[in-house]
Amino acid sequence: MTVTYTLDVATSKFSSFTRLLLRWRGSLWKAVYPELSLWLILYFVLSAVYRFALNEDQKLVFENVTYFCYKYTDFIPLTFILGFFVSLVVQRWWDMFQNIGWVDNAALYIAAYIEGTDDTTRMIRRNIVRFMVLVQAMVFRDISVPIRRRFPTMETLQAAGFMSEVERKILTDLAVPSAKYSMPIQWAMALIVDARKNGRIANDYAVHDLFDRLREYRSNLGKLTCYDWVPVPLLYTQVVFLTVRAYFLTCIMGRQYVQDSHHSDLNSPIDLYIPFLTILQFVFYIGWMKVAEALVNPMGDDDDDFEVNWLLDRNLRVGLSVVDNVANRRPPLEKDVFWA
Amino acid sequence: MTVTYTLDVATSKFSSFTRLLLRWRGSLWKAVYPELSLWLILYFVLSAVYRFALNEDQKLVFENVTYFCYKYTDFIPLTFILGFFVSLVVQRWWDMFQNIGWVDNAALYIAAYIEGTDDTTRMIRRNIVRFMVLVQAMVFRDISVPIRRRFPTMETLQAAGFMSEVERKILTDLAVPSAKYSMPIQWAMALIVDARKNGRIANDYAVHDLFDRLREYRSNLGKLTCYDWVPVPLLYTQVVFLTVRAYFLTCIMGRQYVQDSHHSDLNSPIDLYIPFLTILQFVFYIGWMKVAEALVNPMGDDDDDFEVNWLLDRNLRVGLSVVDNVANRRPPLEKDVFWA
Amino acid sequence: MTVTYTLDVATSKFSSFTRLLLRWRGSLWKAVYPELSLWLILYFVLSAVYRFALNEDQKLVFENVTYFCYKYTDFIPLTFILGFFVSLVVQRWWDMFQNIGWVDNAALYIAAYIEGTDDTTRMIRRNIVRFMVLVQAMVFRDISVPIRRRFPTMETLQAAGFMSEVERKILTDLAVPSAKYSMPIQWAMALIVDARKNGRIANDYAVHDLFDRLREYRSNLGKLTCYDWVPVPLLYTQVVFLTVRAYFLTCIMGRQYVQDSHHSDLNSPIDLYIPFLTILQFVFYIGWMKVAEALVNPMGDDDDDFEVNWLLDRNLRVGLSVVDNVANRRPPLEKDVFWA
Amino acid sequence: MTVTYTLDVATSKFSSFTRLLLRWRGSLWKAVYPELSLWLILYFVLSAVYRFALNEDQKLVFENVTYFCYKYTDFIPLTFILGFFVSLVVQRWWDMFQNIGWVDNAALYIAAYIEGTDDTTRMIRRNIVRFMVLVQAMVFRDISVPIRRRFPTMETLQAAGFMSEVERKILTDLAVPSAKYSMPIQWAMALIVDARKNGRIANDYAVHDLFDRLREYRSNLGKLTCYDWVPVPLLYTQVVFLTVRAYFLTCIMGRQYVQDSHHSDLNSPIDLYIPFLTILQFVFYIGWMKVAEALVNPMGDDDDDFEVNWLLDRNLRVGLSVVDNVANRRPPLEKDVFWA
Amino acid sequence: MTVTYTLDVATSKFSSFTRLLLRWRGSLWKAVYPELSLWLILYFVLSAVYRFALNEDQKLVFENVTYFCYKYTDFIPLTFILGFFVSLVVQRWWDMFQNIGWVDNAALYIAAYIEGTDDTTRMIRRNIVRFMVLVQAMVFRDISVPIRRRFPTMETLQAAGFMSEVERKILTDLAVPSAKYSMPIQWAMALIVDARKNGRIANDYAVHDLFDRLREYRSNLGKLTCYDWVPVPLLYTQVVFLTVRAYFLTCIMGRQYVQDSHHSDLNSPIDLYIPFLTILQFVFYIGWMKVAEALVNPMGDDDDDFEVNWLLDRNLRVGLSVVDNVANRRPPLEKDVFWA
């Protein structure tokens, strides 16, 4: 689920910063703690081995390895690749969100253009909205783990009221299976054409406008599928995720406190036991990388992923509500209070 | 409120730079001084402790800690993450501003397409504009602290003239509460359909155009809500805000002036008492971060946040003015002075 | 005025580079020399004081301060913030330019759709164009210093032929002053509606097209105003402009040539008297910053600012020319030379 | 073929990271191993020469060269140029993908607007879709190696059913050969105009809508060709690909383990035989560069290139399926389960 | 001319890289060699002076200057400004390319909407296309050196068949010269209005559609002119081009091999005579800068500039071909091979 915190940062004050830090869901702490714990355990084990288990000669080897790791870790410029990669992932994430599909515009047009309070007209209006949400549900099943879990089969979609038995049969019996994502839109368009013929829609413009809304909606869902189908090249993702982790793997040795080293620039003046600043660095880099890890597939289960389940229900509920019973919810035409 | 300073920088001169620096509202100084004061107090307390309270052995420990902090702070590359993060936040801030919602285009079309000076036609025109602003007011209530403060309840919106009692009742009694953000637009569309039927609108194309304006406006407000609903991932915000502050927390120790240190590169040649250059660095980094802090929620109370209150009133006032009494404010058709 | 130099760089050759460097208007040299002179004077004064006025003890203090400044200036990473800030400013500058408003498209549509050579039709066509330019003139008065200087009052706009006396009165007497920016567009739309009624425009579709052009134009000017109203956050501008200057203020001391310093890495092998490479660095950083300073308000007086005065006159002249006397400037329909 | 791995990263967990790393197709490992092997062989040969073949004097020269290479490699800042270049290439790659051409929208409009179950109407519908895919096939032949391999001649396109013999003859006999990419679109438009004349299309607006869909599709393919015709400037590509490789060529010497060097900062404390960290660095930089290398021409044969063959077949199959036999796949109009 | 090399990089292999490097036209080698030669000559002259002409004292001065230059060159961070500048220039270059103007869409609409095989109708169709290309030719003359060279006067445009004598006279006699860029579009629009009146165009929508295509085309050319008129601010270009060259000017001294220097970090272990790694660095930085230099005016003569001459001819040829003799190039309506 999305983590909204905008009200906490309404003003830029120190207290808002503190409030921000104390959150858990979708937070840095929650993202970083598993790998940080693992890292710390490895670090302390090695530290203990050095302090208690090794003799002088072995200690010398240990110190040399530490120095080696310490010196060469800065060959890997993490910041830069992380900066560019996170930028790319954040941009894709937002693009996906903008194509996630809202029925509101279409529903408003349907309600305004397809007039009539008889049952057939209501059925037409409601069916068009339902067909739109059905496409969304089918698309989401393919790209979102939580929706797939909720609707493992087409039958479950039918059971949830997204389609009737007849409709499900038509969709599953299609000769070209991938045509099924357009089929409900096609039904909706056919309903509109019929409504125009029966005079339920007053003019040809209206048909064009309704088609435009449906096309907009369908194109959004199409783009969403494309983002899922063609992700950030695997190669790029691997380079980033691997390098950051390899860096900290090297740091387990390279940041050890060692006594009497021959290497002056490794010599830390004090033995802190706990590597405070390396932990800070860990939180910084791994936290930054986790932004990318969480957003690279925003249709998943992470705290910050889109609330697709909610959206599906909301689209159906709001869509049906907008197109239904318009007439009995209109206020009378009155003068406003500023009338002069 | 937005801080406009463009006239000060009409030309790129040294004096414009000076004028820029002397501003207080929305300025660097105002943003930085609270945390800078806190930082300086901590710095001077530690400095005093070192100079007056510690004995030689303790001083040695102090110096070692200082050296440790001094040496490892550059593990954290602030500039890069700040650069990318501020870019992201500034872009979102501007996108939000572009979707903030202006009624002007719609009002001009309403005035041009729905002709007539009788009271009913005027009511139709005025009501459509009012419905548009009403949606904006309801949306702003959800995402902006100042507007929420001004209109804590739907009743206060009614009292301010944004809606009538009947309208408020319909909106609050909706079975699907979140449909209320589309409802006034639906009323406006219904008014337009009626006006077309009564011949107040001359042709079907005008209906399409008016619907287009309403849709544009509603989509803008929808996108605005999305920006509020799905903010920059909390994780990212936390990483940035935390790292910058952790950096300067470390600097409190790491930038202390210490005498006779064993660590040659820490040795400052002169004891300045006041850490001038670290203060400059503080102003630089914290100031840069404050840009992000102020813009991450531009619907809030900061100096640089959008003037949403003003916008709401302006939209209502200008909108009503544009659609009303068009006829008696037209100049006669005359030849211009360049007529040949 | 804009500085066009594209012909100089038609090919990428060394000579084009030289030609580029020898320009003065809008150039690096013109932008940098005032502050560079100031900086050099301060530098040489301090240098002279050190060389001729100080005794040994004072020299030692001087050297220590120099070392201190030399060492800590690299705490401030100018390049990064400059890179991001200049990117932002350049992007806004170009966006503003793209919304600056051209009447050409509208004029072509007016000429094609509103046919007739009688005086009334000509007046309609010319008035619509004039109204468009009038809005631009009023908007420019608010956001551009040179235009404000040229047209300090609405009367001067009238005197320049942008509006008649009656029009000016209507605009200044409006109950809601900020509605005046839409008013001339509203007049233009009313003229179009009238022309349709009188049959001067042949079909409803043309009305829609003409409205579209007007809306496009008005929206552009609206966006332009927004860029002026909501500039780059003051805070950001201050951080950048201040840091760059503070850096070079520190360099006045930090780059002094000092003899026999105790600080080996400060020791310059030769006394060049003139700090060549620091000057180069100054030109580089201040020049880069000047790009931002000049573009942050492109409606001002800088060499590189948009030629708004020219644009206003050009829009009026070209617009009126396009819509006028269309008929007598058409070539006869002939076969082209490639006819087969 | 595109490598889809989004399901693997549904949640940000350590196990997803491991699964990511274990892939082979389109992976870092597959991209990096050939050049890494080559590099390692050269490295070990030189290392063996140094250890076993050289006498003391020769060793000294070897050590000097090593030191020279070690010291100067950091003159070349790879990260920055790679960051910007990969950003550019990734953006172009995504833009190309967005213009790759889907027939779905057009097919839906054709099915809705051109009604009738007689053979002629079906032929019209099917031919329009086929003409669209034909253009795509011809464009892909020019810019994609796999498609060119599959369809080396126009005859093979005919054999695959994309066009008839007559059509092929017309296309190959055109006086202006490059007009052939528009020709099938022109046929489709002519079919639509005919259908409107025969009353198969009910109104003029539908013609406009259908033309819009065709134009959209054709413009996409046009843009795609432009991306192929005007690639990233060769110069830029060369700079990046050359520099990265020159860097590692230098590293073959510069990262050798040498004993008793006079150059203290070269001295590695331990002889690891295998240059672990340089290998990591190699994987990092070459991997990053391979992202650009694979995406710079996404119509090729790489693992991550677009599946153009599949797309072509899919467009034909889905397109024909959508426009055909609409009538007998429509569900009856029924009340939905939420009906109240 | 554009250098297309996409087929060479169809797969990411080492051999493709080699093929890429061996090209000459538009290549790094061609771009870099003149300045590199110059630089090397200066370098060797100085080197020879040092080795053979100077006595010991002079050598000491030489060494000091070398050390000074060596030490301070890293004050100038080339990478960053180059990264941002090249990004900006590449983006503008691509935007220009996207607005370069193709007649295809317009021609297809003209062919479909303006029906008839009589000479007058053909003349109308051909003239509209010709008028479009004429505008392009006039615009290109102003912004492109090769086109200006090919068409130095309006008479040469007439001679090449882009316009008739009458047309040229009208254009050159215009009271407002800059209106001439809209005039041919205006003629085209008038032809369309006439064709609608004579029934050659069947409905008002078609007029709107045709106007849309013309407007799109004209707006593209307008934007292209804007890119030429308002280039990247001169200041910015100067900063970048100057700094890179100043850097390498300093390197001529700073990278000299000097014996027995007092400055340990300058000491190179071996005398290579040829500064291999500085040459690599030169190729890297100057090559990167040349990307910007070549693209900053893509309408010029560089290898990588747009092929405007070819485009002009192609637009005329393809445009005329598309609109002409449509009827006799249509295939009969047949069943496709997938018909079931």
Side-chain angles (χ1 to χ4, degrees), chain D residues 49-288:
Chain D
V49 165
Y50 171 73
R51 286 169 203 263
F52 308 118
L54 301 185
N55 63 27
E56 283 310 303
D57 283 357
Q58 292 167 325
K59 281 194 172 178
L60 195 67
V61 173
F62 190 97
E63 284 158 18
N64 280 335
V65 174
T66 296
Y67 179 64
F68 179 80
C69 290
Y70 173 81
K71 191 177 157 195
Y72 286 95
T73 43
D74 57 338
F75 276 178
I76 307 158
L78 293 180
T79 38
F80 224 86
I81 202 172
L82 268 171
F84 278 107
F85 187 73
V86 169
S87 272
L88 173 67
V89 169
V90 166
Q91 198 198 312
R92 284 178 65 97
W93 160 78
W94 192 250
D95 286 351
M96 287 183 79
F97 181 59
Q98 289 191 308
N99 287 308
I100 207 161
W102 303 87
V103 295
D104 303 52
N105 277 334
L108 284 169
Y109 272 70
I110 293 165
Y113 274 137
I114 311 182
E115 291 179 282
T117 49
D118 57 306
D119 269 16
T120 312
T121 317
R122 275 187 67 201
M123 277 196 285
I124 292 176
R125 285 200 300 257
R126 290 177 70 99
N127 271 354
I128 297 176
V129 165
R130 190 168 53 78
F131 290 151
M132 292 176 73
V133 183
L134 171 57
V135 175
Q136 195 171 37
M138 288 196 300
V139 165
F140 280 7
R141 273 186 74 230
D142 285 359
I143 64 179
S144 163
V145 172
I147 299 285
R148 174 63 106 186
R149 210 181 294 128
R150 182 174 164 199
F151 300 118
T153 59
M154 292 290 270
E155 279 75 15
T156 49
L157 273 177
Q158 180 195 330
F162 286 96
M163 57 182 154
S164 70
E165 172 126 27
V166 186
E167 288 158 7
R168 185 181 58 72
K169 283 222 178 98
I170 298 178
L171 289 179
T172 45
D173 292 354
L174 279 177
V176 181
S178 63
K180 87 176 159 206
Y181 300 103
S182 328
M183 190 47 83
I185 298 291
Q186 202 168 357
W187 294 336
M189 288 170 89
L191 281 179
I192 291 166
V193 169
D194 288 356
R196 173 74 189 104
K197 281 191 195 140
N198 310 332
R200 283 194 176 87
I201 295 176
N203 59 75
D204 295 331
Y205 216 77
V207 174
H208 158 86
D209 269 5
L210 290 169
F211 279 15
D212 251 17
R213 296 292 80 70
L214 289 174
R215 178 169 56 89
E216 215 172 68
Y217 180 80
R218 207 204 67 86
S219 301
N220 281 347
L221 291 177
K223 274 186 211 153
L224 201 62
T225 324
C226 286
Y227 275 98
D228 181 77
W229 182 44
V230 179
V232 177
L234 175 61
L235 180 48
Y236 202 175
T237 313
Q238 283 182 330
V239 167
V240 173
F241 290 179
L242 181 72
T243 318
V244 173
R245 274 162 180 128
Y247 179 88
F248 284 104
L249 212 64
T250 315
C251 281
I252 292 178
M253 275 310 290
R255 298 289 166 77
Q256 292 288 350
Y257 174 82
V258 292
Q259 297 145 310
D260 297 329
S261 164
H262 308 288
H263 313 287
S264 64
D265 53 342
L266 180 63
N267 244 331
S268 177
I270 38 171
D271 185 355
L272 286 171
Y273 300 99
I274 298 166
F276 287 114
L277 285 170
T278 306
I279 291 175
L280 181 58
Q281 200 189 7
F282 192 98
V283 169
F284 170 70
Y285 278 120
I286 297 284
W288 200 1

Side-chain angles (χ1 to χ4, degrees), chain C residues 274-294:
Chain C
I274 297 167
F276 287 113
L277 285 170
T278 306
I279 290 174
L280 181 59
Q281 198 189 10
F282 191 99
V283 168
F284 170 70
Y285 278 120
I286 296 284
W288 200 2
M289 188 194 70
K290 286 283 171 185
V291 176
E293 255 187 46

Side-chain angles (χ1 to χ4, degrees), chain B residues 18-68:
Chain B
T18 323
R19 260 205 309 265
L20 261 198
L21 278 198
L22 293 181
R23 284 162 161 272
W24 174 252
R25 277 201 46 251
S27 79
L28 182 57
W29 319 120
K30 191 171 168 194
V32 162
Y33 91 95
E35 299 191 28
L36 182 57
S37 313
L38 190 66
W39 188 88
L40 281 175
I41 289 167
L42 291 175
Y43 180 90
F44 286 126
V45 165
L46 278 179
S47 184
V49 164
Y50 171 72
R51 285 168 203 265
F52 308 118
L54 301 185
N55 63 27
E56 283 309 303
D57 284 358
Q58 291 167 326
K59 279 192 175 180
L60 195 67
V61 173
F62 190 97
E63 283 158 18
N64 281 335
V65 174
T66 296
Y67 180 65
F68 180 81

Side-chain angles (χ1 to χ4, degrees), chain B residues 70 268-270 272 277, chain C residues 62-76 247-258 261 263-269 278 281, chain E residues 67-68 70-75 265:
Chain B
Y70 173 82
S268 177
I270 38 169
L272 284 172
L277 285 170
Chain C
F62 190 97
E63 283 156 18
N64 281 336
V65 174
T66 295
Y67 180 64
F68 179 82
C69 289
Y70 173 81
K71 191 177 158 195
Y72 286 96
T73 44
D74 58 336
F75 276 179
I76 308 159
Y247 179 87
F248 283 105
L249 212 64
T250 316
C251 281
I252 292 179
M253 274 310 290
R255 298 290 166 78
Q256 291 289 346
Y257 175 82
V258 291
S261 164
H263 313 288
S264 64
D265 52 342
L266 179 63
N267 245 331
S268 177
T278 306
Q281 198 189 10
Chain E
Y67 180 64
F68 180 81
Y70 173 81
K71 191 176 157 194
Y72 286 96
T73 44
D74 58 336
F75 276 180
D265 53 342

